[in-house]
Amino acid sequence: MRSVKRSGRIAKAMMLVASLAAAAAPEAIAADGPPAKELFGGMKLPARAEPTAYGFYSKGCLAGGVAIPTDGPTWQAMRLSRNRRWGHPQMIATLEQLSQDAARYDNWPGLLLGDISQPRGGPMLTGHASHQIGLDADIWLTPMPSRTLTTSERENISATTMLKPKAFLTVDPKVWTPAHAAVIMRAASYPQVERIFVNPAIKKKLCETWTGDRSDLGKVRPYYGHDYHFHVRIKCPADSVGCKSQDPIGRGDGCDKSLAWWFTDEPWAPPKKDPNAKPAPKPKPMQLSALPKACAMILNAPSPDSELEATYRGNGRMPSTASAFSAPSTPTADGTAMFALPAFVPVPLPRPAGQ
């Protein structure tokens, strides 16, 4: 039965690629041109397509992205001007689930959501190297206030660092609480979560103080930055056959020599320079041709006509729309099939409280 289901998912993915190819302009496959970050950063809406992640977290794109509503009962989205509230539906469902579970069980009033992905994924003009396939999300370590933040506040207030002032790699007990630990470990407990990135000092704090189930502590990985937010990454969806998974984490809780290394000089030492070496050429921005081939097609796929229709409805449910691409109709002159596009695509809409 599993093989039959997987074959069906593969066939659906192949249909998606074929249909996007029919819609794509030939010049989109050109090897050179504007950097990929400019192309994807300029897209305001997603591609009309079955939700699919292509490529790797730091080198790929997203079809059929959905936007989490600006406000929910247990979350608020930040930095709205960036238009990075988009993700694969499984990512958006995970964020809503975490916001509800943390409020119910962990004394965490709600999530302030940072960047997820762009409407069609891909490289960003500023900031992240990852977040390209709709399976990454940043969550502020500042709890959600009891009131709705204004647009100006969402743009200008800063998240709170968990580190002591002028004390490198030391968690500040004045701001860190058991609820911070609980919400991070709550996210790590979800089976779909692949990794969570935090500052090394936060990982060390969890290693020293977490008294609950430690079986998922190994998912929490120390990394540069991440002192004011934690980064949640989920696994490749089963039906995203073009998505490249990350290597599995090792066994154990990660409270070992691999963590101790972050508290040596080596990770923070500037690279040694050869005084006789010629200056290295400035790296060129990633081109569209460096991404999976489907990304050029996704970039040129149609957008919705308006932002008044379908959005993410919560609890893992999507609006009941037609399949992203129907069965092929009469072939065109060049032998490719024309596919009917759905009437709706997921776009951001305010979500009434209580739904």
Side-chain angles (χ1 to χ4, degrees):
M1 180 63 71
R2 289 184 179 179
S3 62
V4 172
K5 289 182 178 180
R6 178 166 176 80
S7 298
R9 289 195 292 264
I10 294 173
K12 186 197 309 184
M14 293 176 65
M15 181 180 292
L16 168 63
V17 173
S19 57
L20 287 172
E27 59 269 22
I29 316 296
D32 296 317
K37 63 182 181 181
E38 294 182 7
L39 298 173
F40 283 94
M43 303 305 296
K44 304 301 182 186
L45 292 169
R48 285 179 172 174
E50 193 76 20
T52 310
Y54 287 96
F56 191 62
Y57 300 93
S58 57
K59 193 175 183 180
C61 58
L62 173 67
V66 300
I68 193 164
T70 300
D71 300 292
T74 48
W75 76 82
Q76 294 185 46
M78 306 298 287
R79 305 296 193 261
L80 303 179
S81 64
R82 295 180 180 179
N83 197 27
R84 296 176 180 177
R85 293 182 289 119
W86 302 84
H88 189 282
Q90 291 188 22
M91 180 79 255
I92 304 304
T94 297
L95 293 174
E96 179 166 348
Q97 179 186 358
L98 177 61
S99 74
Q100 294 172 346
D101 289 348
R104 181 178 301 171
Y105 304 115
D106 303 322
N107 196 31
W108 194 260
L111 304 181
L112 293 181
L113 301 176
D115 290 349
I116 306 172
S117 186
Q118 299 176 137
R120 305 188 187 203
M124 296 183 180
L125 287 169
T126 59
H128 316 278
S130 58
H131 292 255
Q132 293 194 27
I133 57 176
L135 304 180
D136 293 285
D138 288 342
I139 301 173
W140 286 24
L141 285 164
T142 306
M144 188 182 81
S146 58
R147 62 180 179 84
T148 301
L149 296 171
T150 66
T151 300
S152 177
E153 287 174 321
R154 295 175 200 240
E155 293 295 327
N156 296 300
I157 65 173
S158 298
T160 303
T161 180
M162 295 293 107
L163 304 184
K164 279 187 177 181
K166 301 180 181 179
F168 186 53
L169 291 178
T170 304
V171 167
D172 188 348
K174 294 180 180 179
V175 294
W176 179 262
T177 68
H180 285 91
V183 70
I184 292 173
M185 293 305 297
R186 173 76 55 189
S189 72
Y190 295 159
Q192 71 270 31
V193 169
E194 175 77 35
R195 281 168 169 76
I196 293 177
F197 298 105
V198 298
N199 184 273
I202 295 176
K203 171 69 176 186
K204 183 172 183 287
K205 187 70 172 179
L206 290 171
C207 289
E208 293 172 345
T209 63
W210 184 250
T211 58
D213 184 357
R214 296 174 70 94
S215 60
D216 294 310
L217 186 53
K219 291 184 183 180
V220 183
R221 314 299 293 177
Y223 201 65
Y224 301 100
H226 297 88
D227 58 293
Y228 62 90
H229 73 275
F230 63 102
H231 176 150
V232 177
R233 172 171 292 172
I234 67 171
K235 299 176 181 178
C236 285
D239 55 359
S240 290
V241 294
C243 180
K244 183 180 179 181
S245 299
Q246 195 163 5
D247 291 338
I249 59 173
R251 293 183 178 181
D253 58 13
C255 303
D256 50 18
K257 292 182 179 179
S258 63
L259 175 60
W261 176 79
W262 287 96
F263 295 86
T264 67
D265 293 335
E266 186 176 352
W268 318 100
K272 295 181 180 180
K273 296 182 179 181
D274 182 353
N276 300 317
K278 294 182 179 180
K282 186 177 180 179
K284 294 182 179 180
M286 185 182 295
Q287 293 289 313
L288 181 60
S289 57
L291 299 176
K293 291 182 179 180
C295 294
M297 307 171 195
I298 290 168
L299 193 65
N300 285 274
S303 295
D305 295 329
S306 72
E307 297 186 358
L308 300 178
E309 299 295 344
T311 189
Y312 182 79
R313 300 297 174 88
N315 301 318
R317 293 179 286 107
M318 297 299 297
S320 56
T321 62
S323 175
F325 291 97
S326 67
S329 58
T330 306
T332 60
D334 63 358
T336 59
M338 297 296 293
F339 290 80
L341 292 172
F344 309 119
V345 294
V347 294
L349 286 176
R351 183 177 171 201
Q355 284 194 1

